Amino acid sequence: MDRMFRVLAFWTGIFAVMFYTGDMMEASLLSLVQTAFFLTIGYLKLSERMYVYIFFSYLTVFMIGFTYYCSFILVPGFGGH
């Protein structure tokens, strides 16, 4: 399971680079923070159960943040079409 956190760190790092090249600094910084978090967790050598608990907690925090953003911050019709 520790390798999967390193894989997640790799992909969030890729996203950070793509966001940076697309001049989206806030998203790039967020992805970079997630990369550091996943790398740190990936090298802790925790038990399998603890890795699952951490991943579940991460998903819960993500869904709460995403729901808050979509409900209160996102402006509907931002595409301008």
Side-chain angles (χ1 to χ4, degrees):
M1 192 70 172
D2 55 343
R3 290 183 184 167
M4 289 313 298
F5 275 92
R6 285 183 237 150
V7 169
L8 284 170
F10 170 77
W11 284 111
T12 55
I14 294 295
F15 275 100
V17 170
M18 288 192 294
F19 283 138
Y20 181 75
T21 58
D23 201 32
M24 296 165 33
M25 296 303 165
E26 293 86 7
S28 176
L29 183 62
L30 183 63
S31 293
L32 198 61
V33 168
Q34 288 179 350
T35 301
F37 170 73
F38 287 139
L39 269 179
T40 303
I41 298 299
Y43 284 105
L44 284 181
K45 299 292 185 195
L46 301 172
S47 68
E48 203 72 21
R49 178 178 284 185
M50 196 64 200
Y51 279 122
V52 171
Y53 286 158
I54 290 172
F55 187 65
F56 176 71
S57 301
Y58 168 77
L59 289 180
T60 303
V61 169
F62 168 78
M63 286 307 297
I64 290 170
F66 183 73
T67 303
Y68 177 80
Y69 176 79
C70 289
S71 299
F72 301 112
I73 298 174
L74 184 67
V75 178
F78 58 87
H81 298 290

